[in-house]
Amino acid sequence: MSPNQTDVTTAGVAQVFAALGDANRLSLLARLCDGESHSITQLTQGTGISRQGVSKHLTVMERARVVSKERVGRETRYALQPGTLQQARTYLDRASEQWDDALLRLRSFLEI
Amino acid sequence: MSPNQTDVTTAGVAQVFAALGDANRLSLLARLCDGESHSITQLTQGTGISRQGVSKHLTVMERARVVSKERVGRETRYALQPGTLQQARTYLDRASEQWDDALLRLRSFLEI
DNA sequence: TTGAAAAGCAACCAGGAGGTTGCGTATATG
DNA sequence: CATATACGCAACCTCCTGGTTGCTTTTCAA
C-alpha cells in the first residue's frame, strides 16, 4: 500500500512487467528514453493509433510508475521514471543470480 | 519469424514482458529458478488456483519462451529457459544506458 | 474575443486473460 | 486387468485491454 523504491512486491513488479508487455508501449517508452518530457500529441506521431489510444497506453504506464505525468499549460507531458525500470532490472538480476547459482551447483556436482 | 538469441524484436520482447506481467506467473517462475524441472501438479501446490489455471499460465510462458516443456512419462515437466530472461535483461539494460547517457548530457549541459 | 490546439471524458466494441468445471486419455502400479 | 495418477481438451464465465468515435473543456494566440 506504500510502494516506495525499497519495497518491491511481487504484484508491483508484475504490474511493471505488464506495463512493458505491449509493443506500442515499448515503442513509446523507447522515445521517452531521451530523458526529456513529451506531450501526448507529440508521442502520437509515428504510432499508427489514435491520440486516445496513446493516452490510454501512457495511463497504463503511469499507473505502474514507469512514467510520470505533468501538466504544462494546455499540454500533458510524460517523462520516464527511471527508478521503476531499475526495479524491474533488479528483479531479473536476482532471478538470474538464482539460476546461475543453481547451474553452478549442478556443474560442480556433475564434474567433481 | 526466426527469433534466435541475437534477433530481439520489439514484439518478441513485449511478449516476454507480458508473460512476466502476472503475479501468479512470477511466483511460478521464482520456483523454476532452482534450475530443475517441475511437473504441473507439483507447481500447482501452494498456488491458490486450479491445476488447469496453472497449466494455462505455464503455456503463456512457454509461448514466450520463458520456460520450456518436456513430457516425462505421464507428467509434463517445465523448466526455466534462461536465455529469454537474459534477453529481457539486455533490453532493460540498453534502455537504462540510453537514459543514463541522456542524464549525463543534461548534467554536463547544466553544470558547465 | 474569437478561434484553434491540446487534452479529457464517456460510451462503445471485439477480443483476449484469467479462472473455473466436466470429462476424456495416457501412463504407472497393485 | 483394474485403478489411481497426471494431464489434455473443451466449454463457459467475467472482466480487462486495446482500440475507436464524439463531444466538452482548458489554454494559448491573433
Side-chain angles (χ1 to χ4, degrees):
Chain A
M1 287 304 174
S2 64
N4 51 42
Q5 283 94 338
T6 59
D7 174 37
V8 180
T9 71
T10 301
V13 177
Q15 195 183 13
V16 173
F17 282 132
L20 301 179
D22 179 277
N24 280 326
R25 285 199 288 270
L26 279 189
S27 299
L28 292 172
L29 201 66
R31 290 213 259 156
L32 291 173
C33 275
D34 63 356
E36 297 176 10
S37 70
H38 302 260
S39 74
I40 296 181
T41 38
Q42 196 175 348
L43 289 170
T44 302
Q45 311 293 335
T47 75
I49 62 181
S50 70
R51 175 181 57 88
Q52 319 291 14
V54 173
S55 183
K56 280 195 179 184
H57 282 302
L58 291 170
T59 301
V60 169
M61 290 198 282
E62 196 218 351
R63 271 203 297 258
R65 293 186 167 77
V66 174
V67 300
S68 61
K69 182 160 72 166
E70 177 200 14
R71 192 72 194 244
V72 177
R74 65 180 158 184
E75 57 188 12
T76 300
R77 310 189 67 86
Y78 282 87
L80 188 65
Q81 199 160 355
T84 306
L85 279 195
Q86 187 59 42
Q87 278 184 22
R89 273 217 298 171
T90 303
Y91 189 90
L92 289 184
D93 284 348
R94 280 212 257 271
S96 296
E97 266 182 52
Q98 259 185 275
W99 68 260
D100 272 345
D101 288 356
L103 209 63
L104 206 68
R105 281 194 301 274
L106 186 62
R107 261 196 205 125
S108 70
F109 172 73
L110 289 180
E111 295 179 359
I112 304 190
Chain B
M1 286 304 177
S2 64
N4 52 45
Q5 284 94 339
T6 58
D7 173 37
V8 180
T9 70
T10 302
V13 178
Q15 195 184 12
V16 173
F17 282 134
L20 302 179
D22 179 277
N24 280 326
R25 286 198 288 270
L26 279 189
S27 300
L28 291 172
L29 202 66
R31 290 213 259 157
L32 291 173
C33 276
D34 62 356
E36 299 176 9
S37 71
H38 302 259
S39 74
I40 297 180
T41 37
Q42 196 175 348
L43 289 170
T44 303
Q45 310 293 336
T47 75
I49 61 181
S50 69
R51 174 181 57 89
Q52 321 293 17
V54 173
S55 182
K56 279 195 179 184
H57 282 303
L58 290 170
T59 301
V60 169
M61 290 197 283
E62 195 217 352
R63 271 204 296 260
R65 296 185 165 77
V66 174
V67 300
S68 61
K69 182 161 74 167
E70 178 201 13
R71 191 74 194 243
V72 177
R74 65 180 159 186
E75 57 187 12
T76 301
R77 310 189 66 85
Y78 282 88
L80 188 65
Q81 198 159 356
T84 306
L85 279 195
Q86 187 58 43
Q87 279 185 23
R89 272 217 298 172
T90 304
Y91 189 91
L92 289 184
D93 284 348
R94 281 213 256 271
S96 295
E97 265 182 53
Q98 259 186 275
W99 69 258
D100 272 345
D101 288 356
L103 209 62
L104 205 67
R105 283 195 300 275
L106 186 63
R107 263 199 202 122
S108 71
F109 171 72
L110 289 180
E111 295 179 359
I112 305 190

